[in-house]
Amino acid sequence: MDRKSLPIFAGVTAAFAASLCCVGPLLLLLLGVSGSWISTLTDFEPYRPIFILISIVLLFFASRDIYRPDTKCKEDSACAAPSTKNRRKIYLWFSSFIAFMLISSPYWLPALL
């Protein structure tokens, strides 16, 4: 994992942590994991705004790194290739979509159940 991919991965991880109180029990039940300890995941609810803020900040820094002109890349290096830049943009937008779905899950998930 290179330096430019790390904020994307960390942003999605923070978004998952923000939705741990809501999506976590549902995912565990769908996987067949059960137990009374699953209800303790709701204890993460007070930390949800912190994880949402961390996720937004990390995805902002990732998008800033991807869309800003890179002066450190040489003309013939792999990071200067248009296919590499386009792939990183696709990863960023896909990760942002996943983060948005995880962060907004408490609002749309009850409608599905």
Side-chain angles (χ1 to χ4, degrees):
M1 184 178 309
D2 62 352
R3 185 187 68 82
K4 292 193 182 258
S5 305
L6 189 61
I8 297 172
F9 177 73
V12 172
T13 305
F16 181 75
S19 66
L20 192 62
C21 63
C22 312
V23 176
L26 179 65
L27 286 177
L28 289 173
L29 288 174
L30 288 174
L31 291 173
V33 178
S34 63
S36 61
W37 62 272
I38 292 177
S39 65
T40 60
L41 291 176
T42 59
D43 293 342
F44 290 105
E45 180 69 29
Y47 304 109
R48 182 172 158 70
I50 296 168
F51 287 126
I52 289 173
L53 181 66
I54 291 170
S55 178
I56 290 170
V57 167
L58 287 170
L59 288 172
F60 168 75
F61 281 123
S63 64
R64 189 187 67 166
D65 283 346
I66 289 173
Y67 282 101
R68 185 188 321 177
D70 199 0
T71 58
K72 296 178 184 175
C73 276
K74 295 185 169 106
E75 292 295 325
D76 57 347
S77 65
C79 65
S83 62
T84 304
K85 290 182 179 184
N86 289 337
R87 187 176 15 161
R88 286 189 176 147
K89 288 177 186 177
I90 290 170
Y91 291 156
L92 173 70
W93 284 106
F94 182 71
S95 300
S96 298
F97 175 74
I98 289 174
F100 174 74
M101 294 304 288
L102 287 171
I103 290 172
S104 65
S105 65
Y107 306 109
W108 58 264
L109 197 58
L112 295 177
L113 301 177

